[in-house]
Amino acid sequence: MTWIVAAVAAALVFGALDAVWLNWAGPNFYRPQLGNLLADSFSMAPALVFYAAYVGAIVWFAVRPGLANGIEAAILNGALLGAICYATYDLTNQATMRTWPTIVTVIDICWGTFATAGAAGAATFAARKFG
């Protein structure tokens, strides 16, 4: 039951944070920075695959150590996971695309660090309290 609570909490918190971020940042930040690199419409299937895999990674790499070592460990591991994952995406894009603004890389890495740390902390708290 602990792992189900952790996964549901991580999915809800990360999903809510990302929804708020993307609804604002899509038209106000990403579209002006990336322009025609962005698709005209959102594709749900790959997004769902990402979120399912990422929630699993949050639970395994951040919540699991957090349950053993405290919520601070979950937050730290979540921050590291977010920074590494988002850096992988953005730095790969920056290395392989004709144009990929550095500001997008920096903001994305900061966002991934914050959102993943928050989801990991909240999921660890929920798993301890309700799991």
Side-chain angles (χ1 to χ4, degrees):
M1 186 62 162
T2 300
W3 302 112
I4 293 169
V5 170
V8 169
L12 289 174
V13 172
F14 188 81
L17 288 171
D18 220 33
V20 169
W21 169 250
L22 292 174
N23 278 317
W24 177 84
N28 296 302
F29 178 66
Y30 293 116
R31 183 83 45 204
Q33 291 292 326
L34 300 173
N36 63 358
L37 289 176
L38 295 178
D40 292 331
S41 63
F42 180 75
S43 184
M44 186 61 77
L48 290 175
V49 171
F50 163 75
Y51 284 113
Y54 202 62
V55 164
I58 292 170
V59 170
W60 183 258
F61 292 111
V63 174
R64 186 175 56 90
L67 291 173
N69 301 309
I71 197 165
E72 297 86 1
I75 293 168
L76 174 61
N77 285 319
L80 292 171
L81 175 67
I84 291 166
C85 289
Y86 279 68
T88 300
Y89 170 78
D90 282 284
L91 293 172
T92 298
N93 285 342
Q94 206 165 11
T96 60
M97 293 190 166
R98 188 178 319 265
T99 59
W100 188 266
T102 300
I103 189 67
V104 171
T105 297
V106 171
I107 296 294
D108 265 1
I109 293 169
C110 290
W111 171 250
T113 301
F114 168 78
T116 309
T124 301
F125 175 80
R128 284 187 160 183
K129 186 152 180 89
F130 304 111

